[in-house]
Amino acid sequence: MSAIYKGTLANSGDVQYTVQKLSILDLPEILSIQKRVVASMEKQGVLQPLSEQEYQYILQGNGMMIGAFVEEELIAFRALLIPKLDDPEHLGFDIGLTRAELPSVIYQEISNVLPKYRGNGLQKKLAQLIMEEFGKEAHEFRYVCTTVAPFNIPSLKDKFAQGMRIAALKEKYGGQLRYTFVKDRQEAKRPVWKESILIDMGDIAAQQEKLNQGWRGIQMLRQNDDSIVVEYCK
């Protein structure tokens, strides 16, 4: 398959890499990378791995996956998923959509980068590339949604950098606390916020209260005491 991008990993010895769409033939390598990434996590439960069946579902036409390769080795990947409409935990419900609006939602799914190649901005680059490829295809998806665990700083930075906003904070995946992020692709320009408040990321109840009142989390900040806060606006 032809490359959709070529670049250099400056922090890994100026190694050259290419990015291309993935197929079902890449599944063994995808699962291998996920296993290695999960094993490298200092705190388990931060990343919600996908099952082999879920990857098959995406690769068989229900989404899109792209991967970064160094020579012939897959070193990172990113996925978009068209969610099943009968999922009781559909993220469309989290952002306030009706059941009739659920077909307008696509998920920005899992992103994995091998530990050896972190620090090169690959997660951000793959996000940019997959959304560009997604934009080339004919579809009617308006909302891009995803979930991130509180204090998963790299993934939170990634979502905010894409202009995504926190719309909910609740337990998902059998009791795991997650932010639900959303980006409305039809939003013409950034809204003018009238109110703003900073809330400590660890204060779950305060964040949930604001989110239930229609506030949205637009960025995170590190304070002088090294604590992390989220800016909520309305």
Side-chain angles (χ1 to χ4, degrees):
M1 191 173 291
S2 60
I4 60 176
Y5 180 81
K6 295 181 180 180
T8 303
L9 302 174
N11 292 329
S12 297
D14 288 333
V15 174
Q16 304 296 305
Y17 75 99
T18 60
V19 177
Q20 61 189 49
K21 288 185 179 180
L22 301 180
S23 73
I24 197 71
L25 298 176
D26 298 299
L27 185 55
E29 281 192 274
I30 290 168
L31 294 172
S32 174
I33 287 181
Q34 177 174 264
K35 184 176 180 179
R36 292 159 68 184
V37 168
V38 169
S40 72
M41 290 284 182
E42 293 181 6
K43 184 178 179 182
Q44 298 302 307
V46 171
L47 177 72
Q48 182 66 27
L50 298 189
S51 67
E52 182 174 351
Q53 290 71 30
E54 287 171 315
Y55 282 121
Q56 287 176 338
Y57 176 78
I58 296 172
L59 293 166
Q60 289 170 346
N62 298 293
M64 177 188 293
M65 289 191 71
I66 63 172
F69 291 81
V70 171
E71 295 180 351
E72 300 298 317
E73 180 191 11
L74 181 64
I75 64 164
F77 63 80
R78 189 142 201 164
L80 291 174
L81 165 71
I82 301 172
K84 296 179 179 179
L85 299 180
D86 59 356
D87 181 3
E89 287 198 278
H90 197 293
L91 299 183
F93 294 131
D94 294 355
I95 65 171
L97 300 184
T98 64
R99 185 171 293 278
E101 294 174 300
L102 296 186
S104 66
V105 175
I106 192 165
Y107 291 178
Q108 195 176 92
E109 259 295 348
I110 198 164
S111 173
N112 279 182
V113 179
L114 285 177
K116 178 181 176 181
Y117 295 101
R118 290 175 187 161
N120 287 287
L122 266 177
Q123 190 176 39
K124 184 176 181 180
K125 174 55 71 174
L126 291 180
Q128 172 199 332
L129 292 171
I130 200 168
M131 295 312 296
E132 287 176 359
E133 289 300 306
F134 172 60
K136 295 175 185 177
E137 298 187 354
H139 55 72
E140 297 182 358
F141 297 110
R142 173 175 176 177
Y143 302 98
V144 182
C145 292
T146 192
T147 62
V148 183
F151 296 102
N152 183 348
I153 304 305
S155 287
L156 290 168
K157 285 182 178 179
D158 172 65
K159 304 307 177 289
F160 284 124
Q162 295 181 61
M164 302 185 84
R165 302 182 192 126
I166 297 172
L169 175 55
K170 58 176 62 178
E171 289 187 351
K172 309 286 288 185
Y173 318 121
Q176 303 283 351
L177 197 61
R178 293 289 187 269
Y179 289 114
T180 298
F181 278 81
V182 61
K183 183 171 186 176
D184 183 351
R185 301 179 69 249
Q186 291 184 12
E187 188 175 79
K189 58 183 179 179
R190 294 178 67 87
V192 177
W193 306 108
K194 296 180 179 180
E195 297 180 74
S196 173
I197 188 173
L198 299 178
I199 304 177
D200 190 281
M201 189 173 287
D203 192 341
I204 303 304
Q207 294 178 85
Q208 290 175 327
E209 179 182 9
K210 290 300 181 185
L211 288 164
N212 290 337
Q213 294 170 356
W215 293 61
R216 291 291 181 262
I218 67 166
Q219 66 173 331
M220 66 177 180
L221 304 163
R222 190 177 292 274
Q223 304 290 74
N224 292 333
D225 62 358
D226 219 31
S227 63
I228 299 173
V229 297
V230 179
E231 181 180 7
Y232 284 91
C233 294
K234 186 178 181 181

